[in-house]
Amino acid sequence: MKKLILIDGNAILHRAYHSLPPFKTAKGEVTNAIFGFIRMLFDVLLKEKPDYIGIAWDRKAKTYRHEEFKEYKAQRAAPPDDLYPQLPRLKEVLSAMDIPMMEQDGYEADDILATISAKAEKEDNLQIFILTGDKDALQLVTEKTGVLSPVKGISQMIVYDAAKVEEKMGVAPKQVVDFKALSGDSSDNIHGVPGIGPKQAVDLLKKYGDLDNIYAHLDELSPGQKSKLEKGKDSAYLSRKLCRLMMDAPFDLDLQKFETHSIDYPKVEKLFEELEFRSLTIKLREIKTRITPVQESQQSLF
């Protein structure tokens, strides 16, 4: 069974930045987000030995979600001043590693990952993992697709399969979108149904299965729940639309472009020397020794 690992670039960049203290090179270049991102990437390469890998990035352009709901993500604070100036340098390293990077106006990174993973699901003998700290990706979990999520900074990962999603969220992966439609998602400023919290959302979905069926059985609910759901119906369906990841991003799946065998080791070493990443230089040499081109993975994470 071969492995494809898809990375939510912005989510991992933020995780790396906030997990490490700020540090600089002797010339004053801030590098903590670059270091943390590459360290996580190297750990994945060494542990999982993927046959294919790709990274998706957000763009500044607004998406249809902003058109549908002007307050989408409006509560988020501006990123730290020293975070995104690190991105061009990071992309320089990733380009030297020959890792495909995808971004497109109108689509968030996780929409691109959803599109690629859906296409990859149709491939035989291929297992897909999405590396992200964003729980929206849990809706994509299937028998063939799992989510790798960093825990405890950048040093450990948890693997979400369907059972782990249910343990974490209380619902199956296919119900994650309807769960958020009911309970909301404060991280994206998605309101859900006012007065319906996570526990009620789980209970309703366990009994009725999905949002449509809940609204088809309002008369079976308590007067309080019925009233909340009736008043919040428009918000529920808007929230579901905002939370559901798109699978129509304009990207094809060309596995040959995702192969992990074209790292320009001298160029990466030179960049690490400039960035003063001595420990990552050692890791890079370990990767050169242990990672062979397009190799067959020996075991499944599931």
Side-chain angles (χ1 to χ4, degrees):
M1 182 75 73
K2 291 189 174 182
K3 288 181 188 176
L4 165 64
I5 290 185
L6 300 168
I7 300 174
D8 183 338
N10 293 78
I12 297 304
L13 183 70
H14 279 264
R15 164 70 70 161
Y17 177 87
H18 291 290
S19 297
L20 295 171
F23 48 78
K24 302 178 181 180
T25 65
K27 294 182 178 180
E29 183 177 2
V30 181
T31 59
N32 61 328
I34 307 170
F35 179 92
F37 190 108
I38 299 299
R39 174 59 190 268
M40 277 192 275
L41 174 61
F42 279 8
D43 285 347
V44 166
L45 289 174
L46 287 167
K47 183 178 180 182
E48 310 305 341
K49 300 181 177 62
D51 303 276
Y52 313 102
I53 195 165
I55 301 175
W57 297 99
D58 292 332
R59 278 191 170 173
K60 291 183 179 179
K62 293 184 177 180
T63 70
Y64 84 95
R65 294 181 179 92
H66 297 91
E67 295 171 3
E68 292 282 346
F69 183 52
K70 292 182 179 179
E71 297 174 26
Y72 179 65
K73 294 187 177 180
Q75 88 294 355
R76 290 194 178 183
D81 291 339
D82 59 353
L83 172 56
Y84 278 103
Q86 298 184 56
L87 186 53
R89 190 71 141 158
L90 172 60
K91 287 184 175 180
E92 188 178 359
V93 175
L94 296 172
S95 293
M97 294 182 68
D98 198 35
I99 296 179
M101 290 181 275
M102 302 163 284
E103 51 188 285
Q104 179 67 38
D105 284 353
Y107 295 87
E108 296 183 32
D110 46 12
D111 294 318
I112 297 172
L113 299 181
T115 300
I116 296 296
S117 65
K119 292 180 178 181
E121 287 252 349
K122 299 174 184 177
E123 297 286 327
D124 294 330
N125 194 39
L126 183 65
Q127 198 166 39
I128 306 107
F129 293 96
I130 298 170
L131 173 59
T132 180
D134 189 341
K135 296 301 184 287
D136 284 341
L138 297 182
Q139 65 187 266
L140 302 175
V141 170
T142 66
E143 289 185 359
K144 292 189 69 172
T145 300
V147 169
L148 290 170
S149 183
V151 293
K152 295 186 178 179
I154 62 172
S155 60
Q156 295 182 28
M157 301 275 180
I158 187 169
V159 182
Y160 283 98
D161 58 7
K164 199 69 178 178
V165 172
E166 190 148 5
E167 179 186 324
K168 173 72 174 180
M169 305 286 292
V171 297
K174 66 180 181 180
Q175 296 174 308
V176 167
V177 172
D178 285 350
F179 171 83
K180 292 191 173 189
L182 291 165
S183 63
D185 184 349
S186 59
S187 66
D188 289 337
N189 202 32
I190 294 173
H191 297 159
V193 177
I196 300 293
K199 185 179 185 307
Q200 288 186 70
V202 169
D203 291 342
L204 287 166
L205 289 168
K206 283 189 178 297
K207 185 171 184 179
Y208 296 107
D210 60 33
L211 189 66
D212 294 334
N213 204 36
I214 291 169
Y215 274 98
H217 293 83
L218 287 184
D219 289 339
E220 299 176 11
L221 304 180
S222 68
Q225 273 192 330
K226 180 180 178 181
S227 175
K228 291 172 185 176
L229 286 162
E230 285 177 333
K231 291 177 181 177
K233 184 174 183 178
D234 288 346
S235 179
Y237 278 92
L238 173 61
S239 297
R240 183 168 74 171
K241 188 174 183 180
L242 296 173
C243 290
R244 179 171 285 138
L245 297 181
M246 300 169 70
M247 296 187 179
D248 64 348
F251 290 94
D252 294 322
L253 177 66
D254 184 346
L255 287 176
Q256 287 187 340
K257 293 181 179 178
F258 287 75
E259 289 177 352
T260 58
H261 66 288
S262 300
I263 298 175
D264 186 338
Y265 288 99
K267 186 173 182 179
V268 177
E269 282 207 38
K270 183 176 183 300
L271 287 167
F272 283 178
E273 184 179 350
E274 294 173 7
L275 293 164
E276 300 174 8
F277 289 166
R278 296 174 185 84
S279 63
L280 290 185
T281 299
I282 296 170
K283 282 276 186 184
L284 180 67
R285 290 167 184 165
E286 186 179 355
I287 286 170
K288 188 175 182 179
T289 302
R290 293 178 55 187
I291 304 297
T292 57
V294 196
Q295 57 192 307
E296 190 75 20
S297 300
Q298 296 301 310
Q299 63 183 30
S300 166
L301 290 173
F302 287 169

